[in-house]
């Protein structure tokens, strides 16, 4: 009897284990089933006619947002119109970038030159949008209107584009529409074009497009083609074989940029930057591929692990060719912070199709006892994700290293006087 009871007990114990495994399996299957039934969030916003472009953002509360590195976007189609929502993580809502719409395989570039870069909490400001066949193009003329506002923590915008102003007709109805602005993120947000009535195609847009196309230049904006080093405001550092020998740094912040001609540029998706330091100041150069030099972003400095945020609310939204404007910079311990007051000054100018700037930051404003042996990195997400690194010190000028860290010691600096070295940092792109 005892063995039989033992066998029976063993069988019960075995069945209990099997039951537990079955229950565990069902739980795993149930979790998997839930995951399958509720897929990951898509980037498609449902078409809606309930969006009103009035500067009040609460009617977007149910829209699916697409997240970028610096903000969120959403689209909502309504007949011949498409509505756009923007919420920034940091800085102002960009007018440039542009807002690049792709419909049925064709790209349309939408931008604004009068969107406010500074909106106080609770304020609503209107702006208009222009459409083109390339970045900052004007072939389609005025294509939409919108509003920008601030809730005390973030900047928001909503605007509406009339698709017929882009020459689209009822044949575009039901086609996918996607939009991305590289100043906000790389991920496009998508929707479906609403029903465009056959009679609604704007004849005025065709006329405007034809007129502007005739006056447009043949070169596409956004392509870096200028290689002129003799311009009074040299906006290019063109020597691809420059050894970056800054034994005589002589960078002067005066609105003339030719003293940067031998300093290596670091390329971002929306522009180029360079940085050098003499121990007391950090000098920064910016050249944009598209749009205006940003005042916000901010210019994020990391000095031996300590974060400092430098920004300017004086950057112009547009400039005529050759115009130069003086601007000041504020420093903080967080984005758009004021803790350090005015920490620098510079100039922003327009050179052909590119906005360029140079400025310097007084490191002593950050209450740093000494820069000797310290490492400085800087990036601005509105220009690119690449970080520039330079060594700080009080013994002489230092050289930009691009992406990565190159500390130029004084002995090495003296060695370069005797033997000119060629830059070997393959991570850095030169213009």
């Amino acid at each position: 009897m005892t063995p039989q009871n033992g066998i029976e007990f063993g069988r019960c114990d075995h069945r209990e284990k099997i039951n537990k495994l079955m229950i565990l399996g069902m739980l795993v299957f149930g979790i998997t089933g839930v995951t399958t039934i509720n897929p990951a969030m898509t980037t498609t916003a449902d078409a809606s006619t309930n969006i009103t472009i009035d500067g009040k953002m609460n009617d977007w509360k149910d829209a699916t947002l697409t997240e970028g590195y610096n903000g969120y976007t959403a689209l909502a189609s309504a007949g011949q119109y498409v509505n756009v929502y923007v919420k920034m993580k940091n800085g102002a809502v960009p007018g440039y970038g542009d807002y690049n719409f792709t419909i049925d395989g064709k790209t349309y570039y939408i931008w604004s030159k009068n969107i406010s870069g500074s909106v106080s909490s609770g304020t609503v400001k209107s702006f208009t949008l222009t459409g083109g066949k390339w970045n900052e193009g004007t072939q389609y003329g005025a294509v939409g209107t919108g509003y920008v506002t601030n809730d005390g923590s973030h900047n928001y915008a909503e605007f509406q584009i009339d698709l017929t102003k882009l020459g689209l007709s009822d044949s575009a109805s039901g086609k996918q529409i996607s939009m991305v602005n590289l100043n906000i993120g790389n991920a496009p947000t998508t929707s479906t074009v609403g029903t465009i009535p056959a009679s609604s195609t704007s004849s005025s847009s065709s006329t405007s497009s034809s007129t502007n196309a005739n006056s447009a230049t043949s070169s596409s904006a956004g392509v870096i083609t200028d290689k002129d080093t003799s311009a009074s405001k040299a906006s290019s550092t063109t020597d691809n074989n420059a050894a970056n020998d800054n034994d005589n740094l002589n960078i002067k912040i005066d609105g003339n940029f030719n003293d940067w001609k031998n300093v290596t540029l670091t390329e971002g998706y929306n522009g180029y930057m360079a940085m050098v330091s003499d121990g007391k100041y950090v000098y920064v150069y910016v050249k944009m591929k598209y749009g205006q030099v940003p005042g916000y972003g901010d210019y994020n400095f990391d000095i031996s692990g300590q974060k400092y945020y430098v920004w300017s609310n004086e950057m112009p939204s547009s400039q005529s060719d050759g115009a130069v404007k003086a601007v000041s910079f504020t420093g903080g311990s967080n984005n758009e912070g004021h803790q350090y007051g005015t920490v620098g000054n510079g100039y922003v100018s327009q050179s052909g199709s590119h906005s360029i700037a140079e400025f310097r930051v007084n490191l002593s404003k950050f209450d740093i006892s000494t820069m000797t042996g310290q490492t400085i990195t800087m990036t601005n997400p509105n220009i690119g994700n690449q970080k520039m690194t330079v060594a700080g010190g009080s013994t002489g000028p230092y050289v930009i290293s691009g992406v990565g860290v190159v500390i130029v010691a004084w002995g090495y600096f003296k060695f370069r006087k005797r033997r000119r070295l060629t830059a070997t940092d393959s991570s850095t792109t030169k213009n």
Side-chain angles (χ1 to χ4, degrees):
M1 293 296 293
T2 302
Q4 291 178 351
N5 289 337
I7 293 171
E8 186 66 28
F9 178 79
R11 287 176 180 174
C12 290
D13 185 55
H14 184 61
R15 281 198 294 266
E16 184 178 350
K17 289 182 179 180
I18 291 174
N19 288 337
K20 286 182 179 180
L21 286 172
M22 289 176 65
I23 292 171
L24 179 60
M26 285 187 289
L27 286 172
V28 173
F29 178 78
I31 294 171
T32 306
V34 170
T35 304
T36 304
I37 294 170
N38 297 288
M41 182 182 294
T42 67
T43 60
T44 303
D46 293 334
S48 173
T49 57
N50 297 322
I51 302 295
T52 302
I53 304 301
D54 54 6
K56 300 175 182 178
M57 306 296 167
N58 58 332
D59 46 0
W60 289 95
K61 65 181 182 298
D62 295 325
T64 300
L65 300 182
T66 297
E67 181 175 8
Y69 64 86
N70 199 32
Y72 306 85
T73 56
L75 294 182
S77 296
Q80 72 188 61
Y81 302 96
V82 62
N83 298 314
V84 181
Y85 170 84
V86 176
K87 175 184 176 181
M88 301 301 291
K89 293 180 181 178
N90 303 305
V93 174
Y96 296 87
D98 294 341
Y99 295 91
N100 302 325
F101 288 81
T102 300
I103 305 169
D104 199 19
K106 185 175 181 180
T107 302
Y108 305 85
Y109 301 84
I110 311 300
W111 56 281
S112 175
K113 66 179 179 181
N114 66 347
I115 191 169
S116 178
S118 178
V119 183
S120 58
S121 179
T123 301
V124 178
K125 295 183 179 181
S126 63
F127 61 93
T128 58
L129 296 112
T130 302
K133 296 181 178 180
W134 52 71
N135 276 86
E136 299 172 40
T138 59
Q139 290 82 5
Y140 302 110
V143 298
T145 58
Y147 295 91
V148 61
T149 188
N150 183 294
D151 68 352
S153 300
H154 302 281
N155 285 294
Y156 300 79
E158 63 174 358
F159 57 88
Q160 184 177 83
I161 303 299
D162 185 345
L163 298 177
T164 66
K165 297 289 187 180
L166 305 176
L168 293 169
S169 65
D170 59 317
S171 63
S173 299
K175 298 290 179 67
Q176 185 184 71
I177 177 172
S178 68
M179 187 274 292
V180 66
N181 185 308
L182 295 179
N183 283 335
I184 302 172
N186 298 320
T189 184
T190 64
S191 186
T192 301
V193 177
T195 302
I196 301 177
S199 60
S200 66
T201 302
S202 173
S203 60
S204 61
S205 73
S206 299
T207 304
S208 173
S209 175
S210 175
T211 302
N212 287 315
N214 290 334
S215 61
T217 59
S218 58
S219 61
S220 174
V223 179
I224 308 300
T225 57
D226 52 316
K227 295 295 181 184
D228 184 8
T229 57
S230 62
S232 59
K233 292 181 177 57
S235 61
S236 307
T237 63
T238 60
D239 184 1
N240 289 332
N241 296 310
N244 297 312
D245 188 346
N246 292 294
D247 288 0
N248 297 294
L249 187 62
N250 291 327
I251 298 292
K252 295 180 180 179
I253 305 302
D254 55 6
N256 295 307
F257 303 91
N258 57 320
D259 47 356
W260 290 94
K261 65 180 181 290
N262 290 322
V263 181
T264 301
L265 295 179
T266 296
E267 182 177 9
Y269 64 85
N270 199 31
Y272 304 85
M273 293 191 295
M275 183 172 69
V276 294
S277 175
D278 60 8
K280 182 178 180 182
Y281 294 96
V282 170
Y283 302 83
V284 178
Y285 170 91
V286 178
K287 177 181 178 180
M288 302 302 290
K289 295 178 181 179
Y290 321 115
Q292 295 299 112
V293 171
Y296 296 90
D298 296 339
Y299 294 90
N300 303 320
F301 287 85
D302 184 314
I303 302 177
S304 294
Q306 182 63 45
K307 309 291 186 183
Y308 303 92
Y309 301 84
V310 176
W311 56 282
S312 176
N313 62 1
E314 299 176 1
M315 289 290 186
S317 59
S318 63
Q319 287 180 290
S320 57
D321 190 20
V324 180
K325 180 184 178 182
V327 293
S328 63
F329 288 80
T330 302
S333 56
N334 49 266
N335 273 88
E336 299 172 36
H338 299 76
Q339 289 83 356
Y340 302 104
T342 301
V343 297
N345 67 287
Y347 293 88
V348 60
S349 180
Q350 188 71 26
S351 177
S353 60
H354 302 287
S355 180
I356 54 177
E358 63 175 359
F359 62 91
R360 70 176 186 177
V361 176
N362 187 343
L363 298 173
S364 67
K365 296 290 186 177
F366 297 142
D367 299 327
I368 300 173
S369 59
T370 176
M371 284 308 302
T372 303
Q374 304 226 41
T375 299
I376 307 168
T377 66
M378 190 273 285
T379 188
N380 185 312
N382 285 335
I383 301 172
N385 296 322
Q386 290 76 10
K387 292 183 179 180
M388 297 183 301
T389 302
V390 69
S394 58
T395 55
Y398 294 83
V399 180
I400 174 77
S401 69
V403 182
V405 179
V406 176
I407 300 177
V408 185
W410 177 249
Y412 184 68
F413 170 72
K414 297 296 290 183
F415 173 75
R416 291 182 68 188
K417 280 183 173 289
R418 299 194 301 271
R419 179 180 178 185
R420 190 175 185 86
L421 300 179
T422 301
T424 60
D425 187 354
S426 61
S427 295
T428 301
T429 303
K430 303 167 190 165
N431 191 17

